[in-house]
Amino acid sequence: MTKKMGGTPMLGIVLGLTLVSGQLMNAYAVPSATAKDWATHTWNFGFAQVHMIGYQAQVIPAILAAICFNYYERFFKKITPSIVQMIVVPFCSLLLGVMTAHFIVGPIGWTLGTAVGNVVMAGISGPFRVLFGAIFGGLYAPLVITGLHHMTNAIDLQLIADTGTTMLWPMIALSNIAQGSAVLAMIVLQRNDDKAQQVNIPSCLSCYLGVTEPAMFGVNLKYVFPFVCAMIGSAVAGVICTATSTAANAIGVGGLPGILSINSKYFLSFALCMLVAVVIPFVLTYIVGKSKGIDRGVGVEDVTLDGSNVAAATAGTPESSVGAAVAAVTSAEAMGELTEDGTLCAAVSGTVIPLSQVDDAVFASGTMGEGVAIEPSAGEVVAPCDASVTVVMEETGHAVGLTLASGLELLIHIGLDTVEMNGDGFQTHVRKGSIVHRGDPLVTFDRKKVAAAGHKDTVLMVVTDKGSAEKVDLTTSGTAVAGVTPVIRY
């Protein structure tokens, strides 16, 4: 948590150790503690007494303590002369951090964690647990899009600490499987489309192994209906999962390997849930996709946001057909005006680093495609080449997608986890369908606001589709000037 917020990880470790010190009463011994025990485990300040409690297996107190500590560290770094920062900042930050952790946020976090655990436990074990399973199973995938799915880890750990198992993690694993099964249906439907299979196959494999982002963003959300079909299958699997009280002993293994986390007495029920999470999304996606002509080569550009077929929607309407034809001709003419020289310049000024060094597993692994990362020195992102704007995250402003005349597709992603800022500090200067030329402004962002939110402002340039290019050469070091310095050649 400390590293995530830009603090010093080693100091965060020290703070965490103070929460589980052997001098404190172990968290598991608190319920059975006697007056004699408290007599030797209480800080007496005269005007106040505070129980010396450890926070073993408690997640929320640790998170709250880390947040407070990071603000202390930033404050002392700001007001302390650099010559004595090495001594003053760690000491003062830890002193206040430890006091805050044990006297304020620790007890609050303990109470909050217990309350959250009780509420979730009531939902998954009460009379309406089947309904809870349907809602959580169906809506977990949309949580992944927003990044809010990370909060479920804290709830899982709290449930494991309180009851020894968690019933949330099995449904999370099933949601991963459902999204992968929807992509599997797209693989079958698009088996003759080599270009689509370059994205479909690796996305399906990573999804079945627990990493859903490539599948959702690369396939399911592009067509929409596979995403919805996967949600339906996940909801049904969630109903069965909660109805059979299937629980996991631990978290960490998602997708098909998720069965390794399941309590052994629930292996058969979880296997049934896995079967449902595979069959229902696959069958629904295949049926809907076939009805929309996906198997006959209908592409994403022919499917509207609600998943309906454009050609079918405009059939028999001359005005619509003429309008679509005019729009297509206009778009083709605009794309024809774009020039290419085989280079993509830096989208932002700064220091170029390899994509593999980025603190994001999806991008660093190359799952989304080849590319480079730039540590920016300014907050203006410009077009690296002539292109058509095909994707703009207008609400958040953190990403723009470009398509070149050759078919090469480039994703420009600003910062890590900056989607959580909901557009605060970001301003887009283009819209979907815009034609841009090298150096045209795309997005401006406030680097100070990004840092204050605890995020890194690294700008990623990822080639998600090579188009007609045979290979891509990357420049992964040096200083770059936005719109001037080539960093990708194809």
Side-chain angles (χ1 to χ4, degrees), residues 14 151 388 478:
V14 174
M151 69 179 183
S388 171

Side-chain angles (χ1 to χ4, degrees), residues 369-382:
E370 299 178 76
V372 299
I374 302 175
E375 301 290 358
S377 58
E380 183 180 29
V381 177
V382 303

Side-chain angles (χ1 to χ4, degrees), residues 132-142 175 179 227 230-232 234-236 238:
F132 179 89
I135 294 173
F136 185 85
L139 297 183
Y140 180 76
S175 178
Q179 292 293 329
F227 186 74
M231 288 174 60
I232 295 172
S234 180
V236 175

Side-chain angles (χ1 to χ4, degrees), residues 57 143 157 273 285 405 456:
L143 286 181
L157 292 174
C273 295
T285 303
K456 292 185 177 180

Side-chain angles (χ1 to χ4, degrees), residues 99-353:
M99 292 174 64
T100 303
H102 287 281
F103 301 161
I104 303 175
V105 299
I108 293 174
W110 181 297
T111 303
L112 183 61
T114 302
V116 171
N118 290 339
V119 170
V120 175
M121 198 62 195
I124 58 182
S125 60
F128 300 104
R129 62 181 181 178
V130 172
L131 178 61
F132 179 89
I135 294 173
F136 185 85
L139 297 183
Y140 180 76
L143 286 181
V144 174
I145 298 174
T146 63
L148 294 176
H149 65 297
H150 293 298
M151 69 179 183
T152 61
N153 290 336
I155 299 174
D156 274 318
L157 292 174
Q158 187 68 48
L159 289 173
I160 292 173
D162 293 341
T163 66
T165 60
T166 173
M167 290 176 63
L168 284 186
W169 185 254
M171 289 188 282
I172 292 173
L174 293 171
S175 178
N176 297 342
I177 295 171
Q179 292 293 329
S181 300
V183 180
L184 183 62
M186 294 299 290
I187 291 175
V188 176
L189 288 167
Q190 297 178 311
R191 56 187 176 276
N192 297 321
D193 188 339
D194 293 337
K195 183 178 178 181
Q197 298 295 58
Q198 291 176 5
V199 178
N200 293 348
I201 294 175
S203 296
C204 180
L205 292 175
S206 68
C207 204
Y208 276 148
L209 293 176
V211 181
T212 58
E213 285 83 354
M216 288 196 294
F217 292 110
V219 182
N220 293 348
L221 285 173
K222 286 174 65 176
Y223 292 89
V224 181
F225 70 88
F227 186 74
V228 176
C229 292
M231 288 174 60
I232 295 172
S234 180
V236 175
V239 168
I240 299 174
C241 192
T242 50
T244 56
S245 301
T246 302
N249 293 323
I251 66 173
V253 182
L256 293 175
I259 195 169
L260 299 175
S261 300
I262 303 301
N263 188 296
S264 58
K265 66 180 180 180
Y266 298 116
F267 276 170
L268 289 179
S269 61
F270 187 73
L272 175 61
C273 295
M274 290 174 66
L275 182 63
V276 170
V278 170
V279 173
I280 292 181
F282 180 89
V283 172
L284 290 179
T285 303
Y286 185 83
I287 293 174
V288 176
K290 198 168 183 66
S291 69
K292 296 183 181 302
I294 300 298
D295 60 326
R296 298 191 300 274
V298 175
V300 66
E301 65 276 5
D302 303 311
V303 180
T304 62
L305 289 179
D306 63 357
S308 60
N309 190 301
V310 172
T314 57
T317 310
E319 293 83 358
S320 299
S321 301
V322 172
V326 171
V329 171
T330 303
S331 176
E333 290 177 348
M335 289 294 286
E337 295 176 0
L338 303 181
T339 59
E340 288 190 62
D341 60 3
T343 64
L344 302 178
C345 292
V348 67
S349 296
T351 303
V352 184
I353 62 173

